[in-house]
Amino acid sequence: MADKHKHVDEVSGVETTGHEWDGIRELNNPMPRWWVYSFYATVIWAIGYAIAYPSWPMLTEATKGVLGYSSRAEVSVELNAARAAQAGNLEQIASSSVEEIIANPQLQKFAVSAGASVFKVNCAQCHGSGAAGGQGFPNLNDDDWLWGGKPEEIYQTIAHGVRHAPDGETRVSEMPPFGDMLTPEQMQQTAAYVVSLTQAPSQPHLVEQGKQVFADNCASCHGADAKGNREMGAPNLADAIWLKGEGEQAVIAQMKTPKHGVMPAWLPRLGDHAVKQLAVFVHSLGGGE
Amino acid sequence: MLHQPITKASVERLDAEAVNAARVRGPLYEKRRKIFPKRTEGRFRRFRWLVMLMTLGIYYLTPWIRWDRGAHAPDQAVLIDLASRRFYFFFIEIWPQEFFFVAGLLVMAGFGLFLVTSAVGRAWCGYACPQTVWVDLFLVVERFIEGDRNARMRLDAGAWSLDKIRKRMAKHSVWLAIGVATGGAWIFYFADAPSLLASLVALDAPPVAYTTIGILTATTYVFGGLMREQVCTYMCPWPRIQAAMLDENSLVVTYNDWRGEPRSRHAKKAAAAGEVVGDCVDCNACVAVCPMGIDIRDGQQLECITCALCIDACDGVMDKLGRERGLISYATLSDYAANMALATSGGTAEIDPTRVRDANGAFRDKVRHLNWRIVFRPRVLVYFGVWAIVGLGLLFGLLARDRLELNVLHDRNPQFVVESDGSVRNGYMVKLLNMIPEQRTISLTIEGMPAATMRVAGQATGDGRSITIGVEPDKVTPLKVFVTLPKGRLAEAEEGFSLIAEDPSSHERDVYQANFNLPGAARR
């Protein structure tokens, strides 16, 4: 309880609050009136606000407020507006081929940025966020294409996938395992030949024999000059890009027990818009033909 | 007779008391005492009218000055275009990355304040501060509608009548109108003034425009009309800072008590009785005209904005009495101290104004109200020097700045791409900034790495090392550039290369030193 005898400061003649610290007493000056009125105004404002807007938490949800405002409704309005703004572009994309989209600068720009975001959600897991791929997963930035780098070819690959069994139109290629068909020496010779096409082999004397083995066993798919065949999805072995690893050991391993990557068909999952946008995006990465 | 006799003693004595006079100073917390500044005439008053006319004129009219910049840029002389991030000031156009010019101007403003304050005291407060100017304007309105000091005091004290209501409503309406015009002028700096005015009138301007006008109307009305001197005394930090920048050689408004004291209401009678009397007849004119409501005769005070209206009022009285002007004057504290020492015999006696006069009643040579050599002393010159150096630096920067710029971002994901022939490709995001409002043809060239070739996505032209592109006026043109280095020449990558943007017609150019990334190589 405060002291019944009210203490009055001698110098200022103002009553003190009764609080004292080391002999220093707090004067009980009134609040400035503008301050007090501002405080009352905020209280009134708060009451009005609590009535008008969602505010009081109940067991399952908060009170609704008489204005019926909701931030979720506000977001959905914005989302609808964004969808409406994109509608024109999406219609045009639906009625155009991938090549036509690329020819139209405005549509191309729209498709690239839309494709980039679709890519980050669905494709980056295998191909990397920059589409640089990795061992067994093709780099989409370079100019080496297993199935062709033209816009429609890229579209076809994305839409129906690679070795994706449920899709009838999927890209299929399969390299037979040569582990039983060729002797280890023959495989060594072939690897020496394949590597010699782009760099120095470790055993140059094997190259000539290897060329013969290649012509007999591999040329039917990879071509007489080893430059591959896109019809069949046979990789170009005469370039500097190695999907399954560089060097003779990697080549031998792939000959013995070939590994085959699988890419799902994306058309059923993402729809035509998104696949077209993806094709435009992939084509724009710098290696598109 | 040591003194000039008072020839015409028809001086009106005013019943005025300073709000901060020691005698009336009450408890810590008290209500505002209303101040009813009286009209003044004189040279400082005329100077203030001139400054008010100029500052208000500049503020209200500047957005309406047109400046033809062609079809690609707005035709407003001064425009802060936030939407497209440009600042236009007559022939100068500033892009966001050149905002240091504005920072430089702020530095200049700071040193300008030091300079002015150390030389002529609180001239900013007294003449140019917006608060001062608008309060002055609001007082003009108040005086026009309600009359001068005495009429206003009567009106304020009187009961509410039809006349009082009419006058008050008229006054507040005009004040609010000034407030609206002030807020309105402000937003014209941020958009095309004529079209914004049209849409403001048609009520379809953006809400932010109305909000800004509303807020500035409220602050102008409250600060200029209702709070007035309280803003300067209680809210504004400048008086504290400016007071710290003053020294004994800065000009301040000074009551020269060495010639004024002892003051006497009945100077003639007292002089006749042989008493020593000063020039001050205690008419209180200096207090009545003061917009801050203080008494300058109490000495230097925080509240004084050095507007010099008391000088005008006192000079008028001195003229009527046939005495020299300058009883209240601009003076330096060092001058004041010298004169004071003279009048008090070095501080050993009471003030005797006869000591500062010679046998003919004229001021002795030593007594000077103002010595200009003291005003332009080394400290002031140093401030002026720094201020001028910053200003010249900005001017040089402005004249020498680039109007063509190249910004390059090296692709990081992936850092490089190996092509099927073994060559290595790097990607760069190149932005060409054409900062003039004219269409230009820019050549983009790579220099260094002689075997490297360049390709711009979406562009078929170019010889593999150079490309020319038409760029739009006053825009940023983004380009995706691929640089490819063939296998077998990869050692060249160590050198890196330069990307050069050049305008062949003006030879204006900008160079970017680019790195080239390789598989397995250490990242540089």
Side-chain angles (χ1 to χ4, degrees):
Chain A
M1 272 303 286
D3 196 343
K4 275 186 185 165
H5 308 286
K6 286 187 174 157
H7 182 267
V8 174
D9 180 61
E10 284 164 19
V11 179
S12 59
V14 175
E15 209 173 276
T16 63
T17 57
H19 305 159
E20 187 179 330
W21 295 270
D22 294 343
I24 299 168
R25 291 201 172 90
E26 186 186 14
L27 298 186
N28 192 13
N29 278 313
M31 290 286 184
R33 263 190 303 177
W34 67 265
W35 193 96
V36 175
Y37 290 145
S38 307
F39 177 68
Y40 293 154
T42 56
V43 171
I44 293 165
W45 174 269
I47 293 168
Y49 194 94
I51 295 168
Y53 287 94
S55 51
W56 295 100
M58 297 303 186
L59 278 181
T60 51
E61 55 180 333
T63 52
K64 294 249 183 269
V66 293
L67 291 186
Y69 170 84
S70 125
S71 55
R72 184 159 291 277
E74 210 166 57
V75 169
S76 70
V77 166
E78 278 172 28
L79 282 177
N80 288 337
R83 281 199 197 99
Q86 293 180 349
N89 283 329
L90 291 177
E91 265 170 43
Q92 262 185 291
I93 284 178
S95 60
S96 310
S97 71
V98 182
E99 263 153 10
E100 283 163 353
I101 296 170
I102 290 170
N104 177 340
Q106 187 230 330
L107 216 51
Q108 197 261 0
K109 214 174 148 195
F110 175 80
V112 166
S113 43
S117 68
V118 177
F119 185 92
K120 288 209 167 67
V121 176
N122 298 283
C123 316
Q125 291 82 347
C126 294
H127 291 283
S129 62
Q135 195 163 321
F137 300 97
N139 182 347
L140 306 178
N141 291 281
D142 62 27
D143 59 344
D144 188 28
W145 298 95
L146 289 169
W147 302 97
K150 294 193 173 60
E152 294 300 337
E153 292 166 339
I154 296 173
Y155 174 85
Q156 174 74 15
T157 307
I158 300 170
H160 300 289
V162 177
R163 302 181 196 97
H164 180 65
D167 192 306
E169 290 179 65
T170 194
R171 307 271 199 195
V172 181
S173 69
E174 201 154 320
M175 173 154 146
F178 285 89
D180 299 335
M181 292 186 257
L182 297 175
T183 65
E185 289 76 29
Q186 281 176 312
M187 285 194 278
Q188 194 73 50
Q189 290 158 358
T190 313
Y193 167 68
V194 168
V195 166
S196 78
L197 294 171
T198 50
Q199 59 198 84
S202 60
Q203 295 166 284
H205 59 278
L206 299 179
V207 170
E208 272 310 304
Q209 292 106 306
K211 189 173 184 183
Q212 192 53 50
V213 182
F214 188 89
D216 294 343
N217 296 284
C218 317
S220 54
C221 290
H222 289 284
D225 52 4
K227 284 192 174 160
N229 183 345
R230 288 181 179 177
E231 297 283 304
M232 310 175 73
N236 181 350
L237 304 178
D239 65 16
I241 295 167
W242 299 91
L243 181 60
K244 308 284 184 187
E246 200 169 348
E248 288 168 26
Q249 289 312 311
V251 173
I252 291 170
Q254 185 65 8
M255 285 166 79
K256 264 189 192 159
T257 47
K259 287 181 183 149
H260 297 112
V262 173
M263 175 161 106
W266 292 99
L267 190 59
R269 288 208 207 180
L270 300 178
D272 188 50
H273 284 135
V275 174
K276 275 180 178 162
Q277 289 161 355
L278 274 174
V280 175
F281 169 69
V282 170
H283 185 265
S284 78
L285 288 173
E289 290 168 352
Chain B
M1 187 74 197
L2 295 175
H3 233 230
Q4 290 128 316
I6 295 172
T7 48
K8 296 166 270 177
S10 58
V11 173
E12 178 200 7
R13 291 215 163 72
L14 298 157
D15 182 21
E17 188 160 50
V19 292
N20 64 352
R23 202 179 62 75
V24 298
R25 222 171 280 159
L28 197 62
Y29 172 75
E30 65 174 327
K31 272 185 78 173
R32 176 199 181 203
R33 271 169 221 275
K34 280 195 182 167
I35 298 167
F36 302 89
K38 190 172 152 60
R39 200 168 66 91
T40 29
E41 272 163 20
R43 50 205 173 116
F44 291 108
R45 179 64 266 184
R46 280 196 297 279
F47 180 62
R48 286 189 80 194
W49 288 137
L50 191 70
V51 174
M52 186 208 266
L53 205 67
M54 273 168 45
T55 48
L56 289 179
I58 289 170
Y59 177 71
Y60 285 116
L61 298 180
T62 301
W64 298 92
I65 305 171
R66 301 282 98 186
W67 194 268
D68 187 12
R69 292 193 182 86
H72 303 291
D75 289 340
Q76 186 158 317
V78 178
L79 179 68
I80 299 162
D81 191 348
L82 292 177
S84 50
R85 278 170 252 127
R86 298 279 187 282
F87 174 46
Y88 300 96
F89 187 83
F90 295 94
F91 63 95
I92 302 167
E93 180 189 331
I94 290 182
W95 282 45
Q97 67 267 41
E98 299 172 307
F99 204 71
F100 58 84
F101 283 114
V102 178
L105 283 178
L106 290 176
V107 172
M108 279 185 80
F111 275 103
L113 196 67
F114 298 166
L115 172 64
V116 169
T117 306
S118 65
V120 292
R122 288 175 60 181
W124 168 256
C125 289
Y127 301 96
C129 173
Q131 174 69 12
T132 298
V133 171
W134 262 278
V135 166
D136 224 17
L137 182 64
F138 276 41
L139 276 171
V140 172
V141 172
E142 187 171 272
R143 228 172 258 141
F144 182 78
I145 293 170
E146 299 184 348
D148 205 9
R149 178 178 160 87
N150 291 337
R152 295 212 304 280
M153 287 168 82
R154 267 200 309 279
L155 186 75
D156 194 60
W160 283 98
S161 66
L162 218 60
D163 185 52
K164 184 167 174 175
I165 291 171
R166 189 181 58 77
K167 280 181 172 167
R168 283 284 151 93
M169 275 180 61
K171 178 176 83 173
H172 289 282
S173 311
V174 178
W175 280 359
L176 279 170
I178 293 172
V180 171
T182 305
W186 179 258
I187 62 168
F188 289 145
Y189 284 88
F190 295 85
D192 182 57
S195 50
L196 181 59
L197 182 64
S199 59
L200 278 174
V201 173
L203 295 180
D204 61 358
V208 64
Y210 293 106
T211 316
T212 309
I213 292 179
I215 291 171
L216 290 177
T217 302
T219 51
T220 310
Y221 172 75
V222 172
F223 285 7
L226 306 182
M227 294 182 68
R228 295 189 190 168
E229 80 287 347
Q230 299 190 101
V231 175
C232 308
T233 308
Y234 299 114
M235 293 170 69
C236 182
W238 273 142
R240 277 85 180 160
I241 297 168
Q242 295 211 350
M245 288 191 289
L246 298 174
D247 61 21
E248 71 281 4
N249 291 326
S250 309
L251 284 184
V252 286
V253 172
T254 310
Y255 167 62
N256 295 310
D257 48 5
W258 46 265
R259 66 169 269 208
E261 298 293 317
R263 66 186 82 157
S264 168
R265 290 211 163 200
H266 311 286
K268 222 157 132 185
K269 218 184 282 176
E275 283 174 40
V276 175
V277 283
D279 283 346
C280 179
V281 295
D282 203 13
C283 66
N284 279 335
C286 53
V287 182
V289 299
C290 181
M292 303 299 293
I294 61 170
D295 186 345
I296 191 65
R297 294 172 300 175
D298 291 341
Q300 299 301 314
Q301 288 151 78
L302 173 89
E303 288 89 345
C304 177
I305 57 170
T306 71
C307 65
L309 293 185
C310 51
I311 299 183
D312 279 345
C314 188
D315 282 352
V317 172
M318 290 297 114
D319 286 353
K320 275 186 184 167
L321 295 173
R323 296 187 185 160
E324 298 100 322
R325 292 180 163 200
L327 176 56
I328 302 175
S329 72
Y330 271 112
T332 66
L333 289 179
S334 55
D335 283 344
Y336 170 83
N339 290 326
M340 196 62 180
L342 199 62
T344 59
S345 296
T348 56
E350 292 285 300
I351 296 172
D352 181 355
T354 56
R355 292 199 188 98
V356 296
R357 294 176 186 273
D358 61 20
N360 301 322
F363 286 122
R364 282 158 66 178
D365 272 348
K366 267 182 166 174
V367 175
R368 284 279 165 267
H369 288 132
L370 182 55
N371 184 349
W372 287 105
R373 267 232 304 276
I374 289 181
V375 171
F376 295 103
R377 60 198 183 280
R379 179 179 158 188
V380 174
L381 297 180
V382 167
Y383 281 144
F384 179 76
V386 175
W387 180 82
I389 286 169
V390 176
L392 288 174
L394 286 181
L395 191 66
F396 177 77
L398 193 67
L399 296 176
R401 69 195 174 142
D402 285 331
R403 298 285 77 193
L404 172 66
E405 208 176 293
L406 180 68
N407 288 348
V408 180
L409 197 63
H410 194 163
D411 282 2
R412 293 285 165 197
N413 185 14
Q415 293 205 345
F416 56 83
V417 172
V418 180
E419 307 253 275
S420 52
D421 62 359
S423 56
V424 176
R425 194 187 78 206
N426 277 209
Y428 302 85
M429 192 68 214
V430 173
K431 287 182 174 170
L432 291 173
L433 278 63
N434 176 19
M435 301 199 237
I436 61 170
E438 280 160 41
Q439 178 90 26
R440 284 213 262 192
T441 306
I442 302 297
S443 72
L444 189 68
T445 314
I446 55 173
E447 205 173 81
M449 300 205 308
T453 54
M454 177 179 78
R455 177 165 67 89
V456 176
Q459 301 263 343
T461 54
D463 60 2
R465 298 276 293 173
S466 179
I467 189 170
T468 51
I469 307 132
V471 295
E472 283 183 67
D474 207 29
K475 283 255 163 61
V476 179
T477 307
L479 300 170
K480 182 79 193 179
V481 173
F482 294 114
V483 176
T484 307
L485 197 55
K487 194 185 183 182
R489 304 293 292 272
L490 297 182
E492 286 177 18
E494 288 293 311
E495 309 157 21
F497 66 98
S498 305
L499 262 172
I500 301 164
E502 185 171 7
D503 181 348
S505 58
S506 68
H507 297 293
E508 203 179 343
R509 60 193 251 146
D510 196 16
V511 179
Y512 176 80
Q513 283 295 330
N515 289 330
F516 194 86
N517 291 338
L518 289 179
R523 310 267 186 266
R524 281 184 296 159

